[in-house]
Amino acid sequence: MGIRIVSTRPFSDQKPGTSGLRKKVTAFRQPHYLENFVQSIFDSIAAPKGATLVLGGDGRYYNREAIQIILKMAAANGIGRVLLGRGGILSTPAASCVIRKYQTFGGIILSASHNPGGPDGDFGIKYNTGNGGPAPEKVTEAIFARSKTIVEYRMLDAADVAFDAVGETSLGNMKVQVFDPVSDYAELMESLFDFAAIRNLLAAGDIAQPDAQTSCTEMSPLRPFPQSAGYASNVSGARFHIKFDAMHAVNGPYAKEILERRLGAPAGSVINAVPLVDFGGGHPDPNLTYAHDLVEIMYGAEAPDFGAASDGDGDRNMILGQRFFVTPSDSLAVLAANATLAPGYEQGLAGVARSMPTSAAVDRVAQALNIPCYETPTGWKFFGNLMDAGKVTLCGEESFGTGSDHVREKDGLWAVLFWLNILAARRLSVESIVREHWAKYGRNVYSRYDYEGLPTEAAQGVMQHLKNNFATLAGAQFGKYTVKYCDDFSYTDPVDGSVSTGQGVRIIFTDGSRIVFRLSGTGTEGATLRVYLEAFEADVVCHHLDAQVALADLIGIALQISELKLRTGREQPTVIT
Ligand code: G16
């Protein structure tokens, strides 16, 4: 088995985005495309000879082919051992868990996360460092710089490696150790949460339901279901029903093992549990639009007590109660407020962090707990330093991401188990817990509008137009809202002092309400413009509960000041969450 040095030419578009390099499968399948990027990783990370790396992916189309290429390149680049998830499967949080547990030099994760898969879908690759977290910007920039000058890559001439069974094989001088992708992760979850209490809840969930007389039902923007007058009561002693939608993505085997086998949820509690290369034709993004199988069940007449979904690579989550949607920002705040109910967090939280566009709901909890709250740019990588320095325990993002310092990635199933632990301890419905939370802390009414697949120039034009108007916007009045200030968010990392600029336009109003505009860093077609809207309601009254109603004025202002419709020709957003 010899090492081949293959001549190549750089591609100009290998700049990692919010979370690694994401492109169409067709782009990745161009000759040398994946190889160039992988060699750029090896050239940039300077792994010592014989180092161990973790490898796996979300099982999407091209996962298996990419793994064969990466294994042969790892062997040719002096890597000593690769820990590979069986079948090439490894959720993003499980990869982080394994990197940390076995103290490997780092890991390569193959996923385009929530983006659709299949031959015409998306593929992605990212490098995680030895702390288990996404590579920080200085590493991704080095990889990108290398990709622009690369002239050759190294590849071992060898037959493909079999990786569908646990065991160890040799590839040149390198060992490939195929391991069960679920067990280390499941063990970590058992160490954090009260599995006995959750088992108990699932066996006989006598929770208190909201009072039909005083309860207000919230209509989500996209919810096509009629409001019900009240809720089917969960008879004391009856089972607490859950549904978890794995969306034919990586978390199926994890959820089956943990929710059904270890926690005793009845078979069928996990739906769409088999990972498929094209996610069954679906869009593995756990929101009210794309997780439609689950949404139909949770808003139906016989809705279970708790519903959840996770995304392609298992790091995102959506939490639902019976006919009730928990916004990711509220979910983070609720977890923070109730954290000490879970054994892994009973000592309390060192601090919390949220990305800038995420609502300030968690800030209010932090204030009440008298712990620090950090505001970072979008991208999980920004939380890593804070967690490594012991400054934060929990963090989260509006983009359906929540996590803690147990790993260095957001973690979908972790969030689900945290909620179940809280429900087991408090014996209230999801809705009651959220309403109680609002009553205590006030409510940060929140919504995000996504305009996907815009012509890049038009989207950039909207951003530029806003920036050009900062001076005239400051102090301007729009109905009851007065602009306090506007800026382009920049962040100075409190741990290493690194500065990240251009992280989104903020329009902040005097009452604390906000409109944020950002261009997504994860799309693969044109540009996605995100508009984030947030208004604070101290007095939670029923008629304000529809977020779209409460935010109508802000939406109007956002469209007006951005000239979005004029500049993009789009009348409606693609997705509202
Ligand atoms: C990634 C990042 C998240 C980010 C999200 C959305 O998530 O890890 O930190 O919030 O993208 O980013 P953007 O708004 O730039 O599209 P994932 O689940 O796609 O890996």
Side-chain angles (χ1 to χ4, degrees):
M1 272 184 271
I3 292 173
R4 224 169 1 119
I5 309 291
V6 183
S7 297
T8 187
R9 285 218 307 257
F11 292 88
S12 60
D13 65 345
Q14 297 198 323
K15 184 176 172 58
T18 309
S19 185
L21 184 69
R22 291 187 191 164
K23 299 282 175 200
K24 292 276 167 214
V25 167
T26 45
F28 270 105
R29 295 180 95 177
Q30 298 171 83
H32 310 304
Y33 193 89
L34 174 68
E35 292 86 344
N36 274 17
F37 191 74
V38 172
Q39 188 63 52
S40 301
I41 294 177
F42 286 128
D43 290 348
S44 310
I45 62 174
K49 201 166 167 43
T52 300
L53 288 180
V54 170
L55 178 62
D58 63 12
R60 69 178 56 225
Y61 190 86
Y62 198 53
N63 194 51
R64 296 178 70 91
E65 293 88 331
I67 284 172
Q68 297 292 358
I69 291 169
I70 294 167
L71 286 174
K72 291 170 196 170
M73 290 187 68
N77 277 278
I79 297 299
R81 177 176 290 271
V82 168
L83 306 183
L84 173 62
R86 186 183 49 223
I89 292 287
L90 198 54
S91 79
T92 289
S96 185
C97 158
V98 172
I99 292 171
R100 293 171 67 77
K101 182 169 177 180
Y102 299 105
Q103 300 182 348
T104 70
F105 186 76
I108 293 177
I109 303 175
L110 304 174
S111 171
S113 187
H114 55 287
N115 296 6
D120 299 318
D122 291 351
F123 189 74
I125 173 168
K126 68 171 178 168
Y127 178 70
N128 278 30
T129 51
N131 73 346
E137 274 188 344
K138 63 174 187 303
V139 177
T140 56
E141 273 158 20
I143 295 169
F144 179 45
R146 183 67 188 143
S147 77
K148 290 190 288 192
T149 58
I150 190 165
V151 291
E152 61 185 32
Y153 59 82
R154 299 165 71 80
M155 172 81 77
L156 188 74
D157 263 328
D160 281 359
V161 175
F163 53 76
D164 286 319
V166 169
E168 192 174 287
T169 45
S170 293
L171 188 61
N173 294 328
M174 187 179 87
K175 299 282 182 218
V176 179
Q177 186 182 329
V178 178
F179 66 98
D180 170 12
V182 176
S183 56
D184 293 307
Y185 176 82
E187 193 180 290
L188 177 60
M189 292 302 109
E190 282 208 61
S191 75
L192 297 172
F193 300 113
D194 188 344
F195 270 38
I198 299 173
R199 219 175 283 124
N200 208 299
L201 171 80
L202 297 182
D206 51 344
I207 56 160
Q209 290 290 339
D211 178 349
Q213 298 293 296
T214 55
S215 154
C216 313
T217 46
E218 178 183 46
M219 288 297 286
S220 82
L222 304 175
R223 198 175 114 197
F225 303 98
Q227 268 175 256
S228 81
Y231 295 97
S233 68
N234 183 319
V235 182
S236 180
R239 254 183 192 282
F240 181 89
H241 292 283
I242 67 170
K243 271 294 177 224
F244 180 88
D245 187 352
M247 303 189 81
H248 286 304
V250 77
N251 256 351
Y254 293 85
K256 277 269 182 201
E257 171 64 25
I258 295 173
L259 298 175
E260 294 188 3
R261 280 192 274 283
R262 299 198 186 198
L263 289 169
S269 299
V270 180
I271 58 172
N272 300 324
V274 178
L276 299 174
V277 289
D278 65 348
F279 309 110
H283 191 147
D285 196 357
N287 60 38
L288 292 167
T289 303
Y290 295 131
H292 37 76
D293 288 354
L294 179 73
V295 171
E296 265 178 42
I297 293 168
M298 293 307 298
Y299 283 83
E302 303 289 317
D305 302 283
F306 177 84
S310 61
D311 71 332
D313 61 334
D315 58 359
R316 296 184 174 206
N317 75 91
M318 175 170 70
I319 303 293
L320 299 171
Q322 281 183 337
R323 294 171 283 275
F324 189 84
F325 167 63
V326 185
T327 71
S329 298
D330 279 343
S331 179
L332 172 64
V334 168
L335 295 188
N338 293 276
T340 53
L341 296 174
Y345 305 91
E346 64 191 5
Q347 306 298 328
L349 307 176
V352 290
R354 64 166 171 84
S355 65
M356 180 273 283
T358 303
S359 97
V362 75
D363 302 36
R364 300 176 192 284
V365 177
Q367 200 177 12
L369 295 174
N370 199 20
I371 55 172
C373 177
Y374 297 86
E375 184 180 40
T376 63
T378 294
W380 206 261
K381 58 193 171 207
F382 292 101
F383 295 134
N385 271 357
L386 298 172
M387 290 191 278
D388 286 348
K391 289 180 180 297
V392 305
T393 312
L394 292 194
C395 40
E397 297 185 279
E398 49 65 40
S399 53
F400 294 81
T402 351
S404 86
D405 60 0
H406 68 291
V407 291
R408 293 294 182 275
E409 289 278 5
K410 56 187 183 279
D411 191 343
L413 208 40
W414 167 92
V416 171
L417 292 168
F418 211 146
W419 265 94
L420 289 174
N421 196 142
I422 292 168
L423 291 162
R426 299 202 48 195
R427 300 277 162 162
L428 290 170
S429 70
V430 171
E431 179 175 353
S432 301
I433 285 176
V434 175
R435 286 192 188 288
E436 247 191 49
H437 187 93
W438 290 340
K440 182 166 176 188
Y441 297 97
R443 179 181 176 196
N444 290 70
V445 186
Y446 191 83
S447 188
R448 185 178 101 183
Y449 283 35
D450 293 338
Y451 297 81
E452 296 175 355
L454 295 176
T456 305
E457 272 177 26
Q460 283 169 346
V462 171
M463 298 300 288
Q464 196 52 51
H465 169 72
L466 286 160
K467 290 179 207 169
N468 293 346
N469 281 293
F470 278 169
T472 42
L473 277 173
Q477 189 147 5
F478 300 90
K480 66 174 182 174
Y481 293 105
T482 306
V483 178
K484 188 173 170 195
Y485 66 91
C486 26
D487 66 6
D488 194 356
F489 182 63
S490 77
Y491 175 68
T492 304
D493 186 301
V495 179
D496 64 16
S498 58
V499 178
S500 303
T501 56
Q503 297 295 325
V505 164
R506 303 191 292 183
I507 317 289
I508 315 265
F509 297 92
T510 48
D511 69 347
S513 299
R514 301 191 305 167
I515 304 172
V516 174
F517 296 85
R518 239 191 101 245
L519 293 180
S520 159
T522 58
T524 57
E525 255 170 310
T528 294
L529 179 66
R530 305 202 194 284
V531 185
Y532 310 81
L533 305 139
E534 176 179 359
F536 180 63
E537 290 270 346
D539 185 14
V540 185
V541 283
C542 292
H543 62 270
H544 278 162
L545 283 177
D546 183 335
Q548 299 309 306
V549 174
L551 294 169
D553 290 352
L554 282 181
I555 295 163
I557 298 167
L559 294 176
Q560 182 188 335
I561 63 178
S562 64
E563 297 184 352
L564 191 150
K565 288 186 184 178
L566 178 77
R567 288 171 178 276
T568 67
R570 282 289 172 85
E571 285 299 313
Q572 298 296 334
T574 324
V575 177
I576 299 176
T577 44

